[in-house]
Amino acid sequence: MRKPVFFRVLFYVIGLLVLALGLTLNTKTGLGVSPIISVAYSISEIFDHNFGNMTLALYSVFVVIELVLHMIRSRKYRKEIKQVGEVLEHAGKTDQKLIFLMDILQIPLSLVYTRFLNVFSALIPEFYSDGKSGAGEMAERVIILIIAIILTGIGAAMSLNMRIVPNPGDGIVQAIADTIHKSVGFTKNCFDLTNITITLVLSFVFAGHLVGVGVGTILAMIGVGRTIAVFNHFTYERMKEMAGVEE
C-alpha cells in the first residue's frame, strides 16, 4: 500500500474512533449530549433501547433523506445540461453515480461506527450520580465535557478531511446546504436546532422532563466547530500532504 493511501485510511479510521469516543464521553457527563445524536439518545433513554442501534436507525434515515435530496438535485442538473452536449451530460451522470455510491456506503459505515459507540458506552462509566452533584463531581463532569467536545471536533475534522465516506450526520448537512443553496455553517446550525427541538418535544411528551439536552448540548454546538477550525489551522496542510488529499 502506498504511503499516502495508508495515511489517508489511518487518519480516517482514527478520526471515526476519536469522534465516537468524544460523543460517548459527552453522553456520560449527564450535562447534555451533542445535538446530532440528541434524538437517538433521547429515544434510547425514554424507551430503553440500545443507544448505538438508535443512532444507526437515525443515521439510516439521514442517508435516505440524502438520497432523496440528491435525486432532486440530479433531475434539476440533468435538465440544465441536457442542451449543452453529450460530453457534459455523460460527465454529469458519472458524478451522480459517484454521489449515489457515497450515500449508500454511509450505511455500512454507520453500522461499524455505531458499534464503536456501543463499545465505548459499555466501557466508560457514568460521571454523575443520581443525587445532586457535589462541587468536586460537577468540576469533573465539566472537565470531561470539555475533553469530549475537543475530541468530537478533532475526530470530525480528521475523518472529514480525508474525503472518503462522510459520516451521515455530516453528509445530510452538506446535502441540505447544496439543495437550499446556503452555507454549510448556517445549515449546520439550523440542523442542530432542529434536532434539539425534536428532542425537546420527545422529552416532554413521553418523559415529562428534559432528556439529553443541557448546557453540554449548547457548548457542543459552539465548541465543536471552533475545535475543528483550530485543529485544521495547525494540522490540515500537513495531514493533507501526508495523505495525498487533493483540493
Side-chain angles (χ1 to χ4, degrees):
M1 182 182 293
R2 293 182 297 121
K3 273 191 175 181
V5 176
F6 170 77
F7 281 119
R8 191 170 187 175
V9 173
L10 179 65
F11 290 149
Y12 180 72
V13 173
I14 291 176
L16 290 179
L17 284 169
V18 172
L19 177 60
L21 176 60
L23 290 175
T24 304
L25 282 175
N26 204 324
T27 68
K28 296 295 184 175
T29 64
L31 296 173
V33 302
S34 183
I36 195 67
I37 59 168
S38 61
V39 175
Y41 180 81
S42 63
I43 293 175
S44 67
E45 288 293 306
I46 294 170
F47 301 104
D48 194 26
H49 291 309
N50 180 273
F51 171 52
N53 291 343
M54 287 300 98
T55 304
L56 175 61
L58 179 67
Y59 279 2
S60 297
V61 172
F62 287 173
V63 173
V64 171
I65 295 174
E66 285 180 58
L67 287 168
V68 172
L69 291 176
H70 285 145
M71 285 173 57
I72 293 172
R73 292 189 69 244
S74 175
R75 289 178 181 176
K76 182 179 179 181
Y77 181 67
R78 284 202 299 268
K79 288 180 180 179
E80 291 176 350
I81 68 173
K82 194 172 182 180
Q83 298 177 344
V84 177
E86 293 183 1
V87 175
L88 286 180
E89 188 173 357
H90 175 73
K93 289 179 180 179
T94 301
D95 289 342
Q96 293 306 317
K97 287 180 180 179
L98 179 60
I99 292 173
F100 178 78
L101 176 63
M102 296 295 279
D103 287 345
I104 293 298
L105 287 177
Q106 289 179 47
I107 294 179
L109 167 66
S110 299
L111 179 60
V112 175
Y113 174 74
T114 53
R115 297 317 94 183
F116 291 159
L117 289 177
N118 277 343
V119 171
F120 287 137
S121 293
L123 294 177
I124 300 173
E126 305 283 355
F127 293 101
Y128 61 95
S129 57
D130 293 333
K132 291 185 177 180
S133 299
E137 181 180 305
M138 180 57 70
E140 179 186 55
R141 292 166 67 185
V142 171
I143 292 172
I144 296 298
L145 174 63
I146 294 171
I147 294 172
I149 291 173
I150 292 173
L151 290 176
T152 300
I154 292 174
M158 290 183 70
S159 57
L160 283 172
N161 290 346
M162 294 305 100
R163 300 184 185 182
I164 301 180
V165 179
N167 182 296
D170 299 311
I172 189 171
V173 170
Q174 185 66 64
I176 294 173
D178 291 341
T179 301
I180 64 176
H181 304 293
K182 297 293 184 180
S183 70
V184 173
F186 173 80
T187 306
K188 172 65 174 171
N189 289 336
C190 292
F191 190 69
D192 283 345
L193 288 173
T194 300
N195 279 297
I196 292 173
T197 301
I198 294 173
T199 301
L200 290 174
V201 172
L202 290 172
S203 297
F204 287 116
V205 170
F206 294 103
H209 58 85
L210 284 175
V211 179
V213 176
V215 64
T217 308
I218 306 302
L219 291 178
M221 284 181 63
I222 302 170
V224 171
R226 293 302 86 208
T227 301
I228 291 174
V230 173
F231 181 79
N232 280 341
H233 176 75
F234 290 104
T235 67
Y236 179 66
E237 291 300 327
R238 179 57 179 161
M239 288 179 63
K240 184 179 70 172
E241 180 183 347
M242 292 176 65
V245 177
E246 298 180 358
E247 294 291 348

